[in-house]
Amino acid sequence: MENKKKSTIKDIAAVLGLTPSAVSKALNNHPRISEKTKIAVKEAAIQLDYQPNYLSSALRKGKSNLVGVIIPRVNSHFFSSVVENIEKVLNLNGYNIIMTQSNELYVKECQEIDTLLKIQVDGIIASMANETTNLEYYQKIKSKTELVLFDRGEEELNVDYVGIDDYKSSHLVVDHLVSQNCNRIAHIAGFKHIRIYKERIRGYKDALEKWNLESKENWIIESNLRLEDGRRIMQQLLDSSERPDAVYVAGDIAALGALQVLLENNIKVPEEIALIGFSDEPFTSLTQPSISTVNQHSDQIGKLTAEAFLERMKNPKKKTINRIILEPELIIRQSSNRDLK
Amino acid sequence: MENKKKSTIKDIAAVLGLTPSAVSKALNNHPRISEKTKIAVKEAAIQLDYQPNYLSSALRKGKSNLVGVIIPRVNSHFFSSVVENIEKVLNLNGYNIIMTQSNELYVKECQEIDTLLKIQVDGIIASMANETTNLEYYQKIKSKTELVLFDRGEEELNVDYVGIDDYKSSHLVVDHLVSQNCNRIAHIAGFKHIRIYKERIRGYKDALEKWNLESKENWIIESNLRLEDGRRIMQQLLDSSERPDAVYVAGDIAALGALQVLLENNIKVPEEIALIGFSDEPFTSLTQPSISTVNQHSDQIGKLTAEAFLERMKNPKKKTINRIILEPELIIRQSSNRDLK
DNA sequence: TATATTTGTTCAATCGATTGAACAAAAATA
DNA sequence: TATTTTTGTTCAATCGATTGAACAAATATA
């Protein structure tokens, strides 16, 4: 670091023969300060390369203008896109975000929460880790600051939430598969204790019922939805006595694993087994065959989450909870489109 | 937010009939405070659920214990792994990190730098965006706080740096390709204005020369190394009058694009054209054929970068610059291994 | 016993910006 | 001209924690 001490309002005051408070008010456009001094102060500020001391103003105002964002993984298009859009909106409103990742680990998530609370963020926007079942730390957030959840959230926390209609997503998927003449549809699911995965499972079952299709319990396999989970479970399905003719995977990465196993076993996709993933990760359009998937509108989720947060900040005492549920969109690609062939 | 006002040292002092300063000293283990009061204070602190006000102590101490980390993209295994390891080491030393991404855009990078400086981080750890050629903002960082670079850094900034030996990486790649009887080796390169890519190009040329191979200027194609760049350039190479028999791509994502084009054109990899990428992104082991690549030891880079930073914090006036260069490791997979077949 | 040293705590200033109250000068109104 | 209103600025307290100096009490030393 080269030595260059930052200038303060004191320095500006000294240069202009004013008091620090006059300078502070001028910079904040206080109505009682004359235009003339305001201009003079602002010019001097530029001259002296003045940067307001964030710490002191945050301390005085009791407001940091920082928002913590906790996501499970940064290394996913969905989450990084949501964060990008949250950031865009919040930046325009004078907030800066601190992005942290839980790596899907409960312990890490708790650590991150403690850190953010320590830093005194003005609020936290989060999507919960797969592992998280104990909501104690989220209650802690609620007791100290504002909380808005997206995608992975629990209703019992009773906070603003933005996500898609997971139940309906499954209907879209199953309806499409049925239209492709599939009638033995398996579901590689996420853990039931997480609301979104529970909803997808519920939608899957109801949709099967709607079409009078059998809903076999051992065709719903819960997992962490990592690549290796997709591989393992797909292999398991192939080895089973009755093979499905379609597999609906609750996550794209696991779907990729499943596809690898299918191809390795020389199974024709979608002719023998159709495959559908979830999230519209970019790679789904790059595989051979490309993978059908459900678009979760990450950009919209990010934007709406940020707006819900801003709304909450304006009105912290508001009792009503805002739950925004977006319409999912099924993206049909080669892995489930038998008409193409 | 439920209403629960945080307790301060004042509250603790009131409970115990002490002054705030005594409490502060007790909490900070000041030698002049008796063991008895220290214990009493610490107990009361727990009782009152006291959390030190980060803002005020940072203001007073002139130290935030926050470190800004700027990376080009969060959505890459290399960078997210580096950050993860930086975080691990810094957390153990009482620092918290604020991770931001430039999205490879110069303008965004400048914004992020301004934000971090505003928040008064104690230092910044960065890897530069592809677009960045103007070092003005990095000079600004240097003038205000500590700066440590990793992977993408420029020597003229004259700051601590951790990276791999890019020049040598190219030698490893070329030597291996030559051992596979390739002798028309093209290079899909990054932009020459970035040091690491310049070094890879230099290494590539020197290695070719070492083996008495022709180094054709139009077999070195600079790009942004995105997926579409890899696709476009690979197609270009296929359409050219003289096809290469090996392609060395300076980034894995572009290598994936190149591989897609090769497969779409029914070219046998590695028999007709061998392919090698760079960074050991996880997907390189998942493609068919799997892609050979160069391991940059992201975990080591993260750890060493954090340690260099801590060293610098301990000794801000130190004049000597620490440059740590790690050995690259070539990972040979199917896309370049003709012996396997 | 008188003096020096150690120990435990309080005092008061400080970090930098903000803000309501106070005050003086200028302008408007009676 | 006297009084009220408006305008522009300063004063002083504040946010919460930290820290060197000051002070008093307890203990050690001469």
Side-chain angles (χ1 to χ4, degrees):
Chain A
M1 170 166 52
E2 278 121 44
N3 38 355
K4 196 190 273 183
K5 56 268 161 212
K6 309 122 191 155
S7 49
T8 69
I9 48 169
K10 260 190 193 169
D11 301 319
I12 300 179
V15 169
L16 298 176
L18 289 173
T19 54
S21 59
V23 173
S24 168
K25 283 175 179 159
L27 290 172
N28 289 300
N29 278 318
H30 189 103
R32 284 291 204 67
I33 297 287
S34 66
E35 264 326 299
K36 211 182 61 188
T37 21
K38 277 182 189 169
I39 291 169
V41 165
K42 282 169 187 172
E43 252 169 27
I46 293 170
Q47 221 65 50
L48 294 175
D49 188 29
Y50 166 76
Q51 295 287 119
N53 185 321
Y54 149 78
L55 292 172
S56 62
S57 85
L59 173 60
R60 180 61 232 257
K61 292 199 207 160
K63 196 160 182 310
S64 65
N65 278 322
L66 291 176
V67 179
V69 178
I70 306 175
I71 54 178
R73 283 166 295 117
V74 95
N75 201 349
S76 118
H77 175 74
F78 173 71
F79 286 116
S80 62
S81 162
V82 171
V83 172
E84 205 175 315
N85 283 283
I86 289 176
E87 190 173 20
K88 216 180 280 171
V89 175
L90 292 188
N91 280 351
L92 286 176
N93 286 271
Y95 288 95
N96 288 118
I97 74 162
I98 298 186
M99 166 177 47
T100 65
Q101 53 178 333
S102 63
N103 295 328
E104 302 282 14
L105 304 174
Y106 176 65
V107 177
K108 182 94 191 298
E109 191 173 58
C110 294
Q111 276 174 18
E112 299 295 351
I113 290 173
D114 276 335
T115 300
L116 290 173
L117 291 178
K118 173 181 123 187
I119 298 180
Q120 315 220 50
V121 293
D122 287 344
I124 290 180
I125 295 173
S127 196
M128 296 166 71
N130 259 338
E131 273 195 7
T132 304
T133 51
N134 184 340
L135 300 180
E136 188 187 327
Y137 266 74
Y138 280 94
Q139 296 290 1
K140 187 170 169 183
I141 298 177
K142 272 188 74 182
S143 78
K144 306 216 177 212
T145 185
E146 303 301 338
L147 173 62
V148 174
L149 295 173
F150 69 90
D151 193 47
R152 310 236 200 105
E154 295 298 327
E155 292 195 19
E156 57 189 291
L157 277 169
N158 218 33
V159 294
D160 293 337
Y161 171 84
V162 180
I164 61 159
D165 188 336
D166 290 283
Y167 178 79
K168 187 163 179 184
S169 301
S170 291
H171 276 272
L172 293 178
V173 168
V174 170
D175 293 356
H176 164 64
L177 288 173
V178 168
S179 81
Q180 301 293 308
N181 295 316
C182 300
N183 51 33
R184 299 192 311 278
I185 303 172
H187 181 30
I188 301 183
F191 289 119
K192 229 191 314 245
H193 68 77
I194 300 168
R195 198 191 47 73
I196 60 170
Y197 297 127
K198 188 169 63 194
E199 284 298 289
R200 289 180 202 171
I201 293 171
R202 194 169 67 87
Y204 158 82
K205 282 183 178 171
D206 286 2
L208 286 189
E209 200 172 315
K210 183 174 70 184
W211 293 101
N212 286 314
L213 293 176
E214 193 187 2
S215 143
K216 297 177 59 168
E217 267 311 316
N218 59 344
W219 272 359
I220 303 177
I221 307 107
E222 291 180 47
S223 81
N224 239 320
L225 295 175
R226 291 163 306 184
L227 189 103
E228 52 270 36
D229 298 312
R231 291 187 63 96
R232 179 176 46 78
I233 296 168
M234 191 69 236
Q235 191 61 60
Q236 198 176 307
L237 286 168
L238 291 181
D239 294 344
S240 69
S241 53
E242 194 189 13
R243 282 192 183 177
D245 62 1
V247 179
Y248 161 35
V249 190
D252 277 335
I253 295 183
L256 176 62
L259 179 61
Q260 288 176 352
V261 169
L262 286 169
L263 298 178
E264 285 164 22
N265 284 274
N266 292 314
I267 289 170
K268 284 190 190 134
V269 180
E271 291 80 356
E272 293 178 63
I273 297 186
L275 184 73
I276 299 191
F278 210 109
S279 277
D280 196 23
E281 290 287 326
F283 66 78
T284 53
S285 65
L286 304 172
T287 51
Q288 192 58 258
S290 54
I291 302 174
S292 298
T293 186
V294 177
N295 183 353
Q296 292 183 90
H297 308 294
S298 51
D299 46 350
Q300 277 299 302
I301 290 189
K303 182 167 163 284
L304 293 170
T305 305
E307 285 166 357
F309 178 82
L310 290 171
E311 190 60 31
R312 177 63 49 186
M313 292 305 287
K314 265 188 225 150
N315 225 327
K317 287 170 288 267
K318 201 176 64 175
K319 285 275 186 265
T320 52
I321 296 305
N322 213 355
R323 294 184 66 78
I324 302 173
I325 307 299
L326 301 177
E327 287 293 305
E329 179 194 4
L330 179 65
I331 299 178
I332 299 168
R333 296 210 180 88
Q334 296 164 349
S335 71
S336 72
N337 195 345
R338 292 175 172 174
D339 303 337
L340 279 180
K341 303 270 169 162
Chain B
M1 169 167 52
E2 280 121 42
N3 38 352
K4 197 189 273 182
K5 57 269 164 211
K6 308 121 193 155
S7 49
T8 69
I9 48 169
K10 261 191 192 167
D11 301 320
I12 300 179
V15 168
L16 298 176
L18 289 173
T19 54
S21 59
V23 172
S24 168
K25 283 176 179 159
L27 290 172
N28 290 298
N29 277 320
H30 190 103
R32 283 293 203 66
I33 298 288
S34 65
E35 266 324 301
K36 210 182 62 186
T37 21
K38 276 182 192 169
I39 291 169
V41 165
K42 282 169 190 174
E43 253 169 27
I46 293 170
Q47 221 64 51
L48 294 174
D49 189 30
Y50 166 76
Q51 295 285 120
N53 185 320
Y54 150 78
L55 292 171
S56 63
S57 85
L59 173 61
R60 178 64 230 256
K61 292 201 208 160
K63 196 160 183 308
S64 65
N65 277 324
L66 290 176
V67 180
V69 178
I70 305 175
I71 55 177
R73 283 167 294 118
V74 93
N75 202 349
S76 117
H77 175 75
F78 174 71
F79 286 117
S80 61
S81 161
V82 171
V83 171
E84 205 175 315
N85 284 282
I86 289 176
E87 191 173 20
K88 215 181 282 172
V89 175
L90 291 188
N91 280 351
L92 287 177
N93 287 270
Y95 288 95
N96 289 118
I97 74 162
I98 297 185
M99 165 176 50
T100 66
Q101 53 178 334
S102 64
N103 294 329
E104 302 281 14
L105 303 174
Y106 177 65
V107 177
K108 181 96 192 296
E109 189 172 60
C110 294
Q111 276 175 17
E112 299 295 350
I113 290 173
D114 276 335
T115 300
L116 292 174
L117 291 177
K118 174 181 123 188
I119 299 182
Q120 314 221 52
V121 293
D122 288 343
I124 289 179
I125 295 174
S127 195
M128 295 167 71
N130 259 337
E131 273 195 9
T132 305
T133 51
N134 184 342
L135 300 181
E136 191 185 328
Y137 266 74
Y138 280 94
Q139 296 290 1
K140 187 169 168 184
I141 298 176
K142 272 187 72 182
S143 78
K144 305 216 177 211
T145 185
E146 304 300 338
L147 174 62
V148 174
L149 295 173
F150 70 89
D151 193 47
R152 310 239 199 101
E154 294 298 327
E155 292 195 18
E156 57 190 290
L157 277 169
N158 218 33
V159 293
D160 293 335
Y161 172 84
V162 181
I164 60 157
D165 188 337
D166 289 283
Y167 177 79
K168 187 163 179 184
S169 303
S170 291
H171 276 272
L172 293 179
V173 168
V174 171
D175 292 357
H176 164 64
L177 287 173
V178 168
S179 81
Q180 302 291 309
N181 293 317
C182 300
N183 51 33
R184 301 191 310 279
I185 303 172
H187 180 31
I188 301 183
F191 288 119
K192 227 193 311 252
H193 68 78
I194 300 168
R195 198 191 46 74
I196 60 169
Y197 297 126
K198 189 169 65 194
E199 285 297 291
R200 289 180 201 172
I201 293 171
R202 195 169 65 87
Y204 159 81
K205 283 182 176 171
D206 286 4
L208 287 188
E209 199 171 315
K210 183 175 71 184
W211 293 102
N212 285 315
L213 293 176
E214 195 186 1
S215 141
K216 297 177 59 169
E217 267 311 316
N218 58 347
W219 272 359
I220 304 178
I221 308 106
E222 292 179 47
S223 83
N224 242 320
L225 294 175
R226 290 163 307 184
L227 188 103
E228 52 270 36
D229 299 310
R231 291 187 63 97
R232 179 177 45 81
I233 297 169
M234 192 68 235
Q235 191 61 58
Q236 198 175 307
L237 285 168
L238 290 181
D239 294 345
S240 71
S241 54
E242 195 189 12
R243 283 190 181 177
D245 62 2
V247 179
Y248 161 35
V249 190
D252 277 335
I253 294 182
L256 176 62
L259 179 62
Q260 288 175 351
V261 169
L262 286 170
L263 297 179
E264 285 164 21
N265 283 272
N266 292 313
I267 288 170
K268 282 189 191 133
V269 181
E271 290 80 356
E272 293 177 65
I273 297 185
L275 183 73
I276 298 192
F278 210 109
S279 278
D280 195 23
E281 289 288 326
F283 67 77
T284 52
S285 66
L286 305 172
T287 52
Q288 192 57 257
S290 54
I291 303 174
S292 299
T293 187
V294 178
N295 182 353
Q296 291 182 92
H297 307 295
S298 50
D299 46 351
Q300 276 299 301
I301 290 188
K303 182 166 164 284
L304 292 169
T305 303
E307 285 166 358
F309 178 82
L310 290 171
E311 189 61 28
R312 177 61 52 187
M313 293 304 288
K314 265 188 226 154
N315 224 326
K317 288 170 288 264
K318 199 177 66 174
K319 284 276 187 265
T320 52
I321 297 303
N322 211 357
R323 293 184 67 79
I324 302 173
I325 308 298
L326 301 177
E327 287 292 306
E329 177 194 5
L330 180 65
I331 298 179
I332 300 168
R333 296 209 180 90
Q334 295 165 348
S335 72
S336 72
N337 196 346
R338 292 176 173 175
D339 303 336
L340 279 180
K341 305 269 169 163

